Amino acid sequence: MNRWLPFEWITAVRFLREGRLQTIFIIGGISIGVAVIVFMSAMLAGLQANFVKRVLTSQPQIQLLAPDQVARPLRNAKGEIEDPIVQRPSQRVISIDQWPKIRSQMQAMPEVVTVSPTILGSVLVVRGDASRSVTLSGVEPDSYFRIVKVPDYIVAGEARLTSEDIIIGIELAKDLGATVGDKLNVRAASGATRVLTISGLVDLGNKGVNQRASYAALRTAQSLLGMIGGVTTIDMTVTDIYAAEDIAQRIQAANAVEADSWIKTNAQFFTAVKAQQTTNTLIRLFVGLSVAFGIAAVLIVSVIQRSKDIGILRAMGTSRGQILRVFLVQGGLLGFIGSLFGAAMGAFALVYWHAVARQADGTELFPLILERSLFLYTALLATITGLLAAMAPAVRAAKLDPVVAIRG
């Protein structure tokens, strides 16, 4: 078999086998480093995916609103300002001007996936002696439920919204002493009143939101809030969630609307996501450096221990380039073999931790994400790290003078 292998590979493997203890220790160190990279990368990816899913399935990725109302100073017949001090007006709930046209424009954008008109307003829900002020969201279920995954959070009943239905948060249901099938008297500030039937109870994962959330059909909410044919927001999802802020800025610049992205409205969350990515990168960097120094240290010791062998090989006609490649092959082999063991260790630890770590409600703490690319990139990174770490010892070995090396 040896005659089919290059001289460099045969010599590199022989050196590694003869220094078994050193080889085992350095492969063990590399394996631990690679296991840390695999475990942390996969776990952080899972946590980030879980956070993003939780945030983006409970709110639109981009929301278009009517622009703020701005009071302008009064001018007299001469054009002079009569009162330079102008108080900011209270913001009335108004409809987005020409919203059907804007919705059509948004649907035509290639970056946009789903568009849904919505009307938001405060109403009073009454059941018997209990009453609560809540935020009523009038939606078109077919499109809105593709943006905010209300059906995924239904804990009782169903996500049905006919003209006579209403979906409310579980905490609101507790406050009212209501359940699926009960009737609620819904009153708006305008004096309009409707009796709606609870079709479902929703748990959005936040107690405050669950105390205020309620959903009705768009036309029902328009009638209650006195805005027939109007909408207060246009909710959207986009293909690239991390480009949502750039898309929102372009929409706002081209239309008479305000555009808020999930990145803007969840600035702290987005900062936390970026911090996780930075932490993951730093962990990889420092683990990679520790692995590189470990490989370099072992190979430098190997060069010193085998200086006589290197001198004999050089005296027998082995070129400097061949000696250089012998130690580069050693570094690459150490990195590659260590990455295989490390990937297996990291995957096993991740599967075990995923099975053990649970949230308070018993659900998984993070989804198990084991992508093939992670293992390929890790193996490639470890192998390249081994080659780079072996560079200095390899150059030193190649520069050894045969006579001096043999004399010791």
Side-chain angles (χ1 to χ4, degrees):
M1 180 180 67
N2 289 347
R3 65 178 183 172
W4 300 107
L5 292 174
F7 164 80
E8 293 86 345
W9 284 81
I10 297 172
T11 307
V13 172
R14 180 168 65 85
F15 283 176
L16 291 175
R17 289 178 61 188
E18 290 176 357
R20 285 187 182 90
L21 192 59
Q22 291 178 346
T23 301
I24 291 172
F25 272 111
I26 190 59
I27 288 179
I30 295 170
S31 299
I32 293 173
V34 170
V36 170
I37 291 176
V38 170
F39 180 83
M40 292 300 296
S41 298
M43 186 181 70
L44 291 176
L47 287 172
Q48 179 176 324
N50 194 33
F51 291 155
V52 170
K53 177 184 176 182
R54 194 70 181 178
V55 170
L56 296 187
T57 56
S58 60
Q59 68 178 58
Q61 296 168 14
I62 295 178
Q63 189 172 64
L64 307 186
L65 307 95
D68 277 352
Q69 303 166 60
V70 179
R72 291 180 172 79
L74 297 176
R75 296 177 181 272
N76 56 26
K78 298 180 179 179
E80 298 172 341
I81 296 176
E82 293 185 346
D83 186 0
I85 300 175
V86 180
Q87 185 178 2
R88 179 180 173 84
S90 60
Q91 298 298 306
R92 294 180 296 108
V93 178
I94 60 174
S95 174
I96 296 176
D97 188 34
Q98 297 182 340
W99 68 265
K101 178 182 177 182
I102 295 175
R103 178 180 62 176
S104 299
Q105 292 175 350
M106 298 304 103
Q107 290 173 332
M109 293 178 64
E111 307 97 324
V112 175
V113 178
T114 308
V115 181
S116 180
T118 306
I119 185 169
L120 299 174
S122 295
V123 296
L124 188 70
V125 291
V126 181
R127 181 175 182 268
D129 295 334
S131 63
R132 292 291 185 274
S133 177
V134 302
T135 300
L136 180 66
S137 300
V139 302
E140 292 180 343
D142 291 342
S143 58
Y144 186 79
F145 288 170
R146 294 202 302 270
I147 298 174
V148 178
K149 309 295 184 180
V150 173
D152 293 349
Y153 300 117
I154 292 290
V155 295
E158 58 182 316
R160 184 189 72 240
L161 283 181
T162 67
S163 60
E164 304 299 323
D165 292 324
I166 187 171
I167 297 172
I168 64 174
I170 56 172
E171 297 297 332
L172 176 59
K174 290 179 183 178
D175 293 342
L176 296 174
T179 187
V180 175
D182 289 344
K183 305 286 186 180
L184 295 181
N185 194 341
V186 184
R187 302 174 185 173
S190 62
T193 302
R194 288 287 294 270
V195 176
L196 302 177
T197 303
I198 300 175
S199 61
L201 303 181
V202 64
D203 181 5
L204 297 173
N206 183 290
K207 184 175 181 179
V209 174
N210 288 334
Q211 287 177 325
R212 299 187 303 271
S214 63
Y215 300 93
L218 180 62
R219 292 183 182 276
T220 301
Q222 288 173 333
S223 175
L224 269 169
L225 298 172
M227 294 178 61
I228 302 299
V231 300
T232 57
T233 66
I234 297 177
D235 299 332
M236 302 160 52
T237 58
V238 292
T239 53
D240 183 2
I241 60 175
Y242 294 106
E245 180 61 21
D246 293 335
I247 297 172
Q249 292 298 324
R250 295 206 313 269
I251 293 173
Q252 182 169 312
N255 299 274
V257 294
E258 287 189 12
D260 289 339
S261 72
W262 75 275
I263 295 175
K264 180 180 178 181
T265 55
N266 297 274
Q268 291 183 339
F269 166 78
F270 191 71
T271 301
V273 170
K274 289 297 183 183
Q276 278 191 345
Q277 294 174 340
T278 303
T279 301
N280 194 12
T281 302
L282 289 175
I283 289 172
R284 292 182 185 182
L285 175 62
F286 286 117
V287 170
L289 287 174
S290 64
V291 167
F293 280 115
I295 294 174
V298 168
L299 293 183
I300 287 174
V301 171
S302 179
V303 170
I304 295 172
Q305 290 176 338
R306 305 190 180 284
S307 57
K308 287 188 178 181
D309 294 336
I310 295 170
I312 293 171
L313 289 173
R314 290 283 290 114
M316 293 174 62
T318 304
S319 67
R320 293 182 184 274
Q322 286 178 307
I323 297 296
L324 179 73
R325 288 191 290 274
V326 166
F327 286 89
L328 290 178
V329 168
Q330 284 190 70
L333 282 174
L334 288 171
F336 180 70
I337 295 172
S339 72
L340 296 181
F341 286 106
M345 290 168 58
F348 175 80
L350 188 69
V351 171
Y352 175 77
W353 184 248
H354 176 264
V356 172
R358 293 285 155 178
Q359 298 189 66
D361 58 359
T363 58
E364 63 180 13
L365 181 63
F366 58 92
L368 186 61
I369 300 177
L370 288 174
E371 297 180 346
R372 183 182 302 176
S373 59
L374 174 61
F375 297 101
L376 293 176
Y377 290 147
T378 303
L380 181 62
L381 175 64
T383 304
I384 293 175
T385 300
L387 289 171
L388 295 176
M391 189 65 70
V395 171
R396 177 173 179 171
K399 288 182 178 180
L400 281 177
D401 184 271
V403 176
V404 175
I406 292 172
R407 286 179 179 175

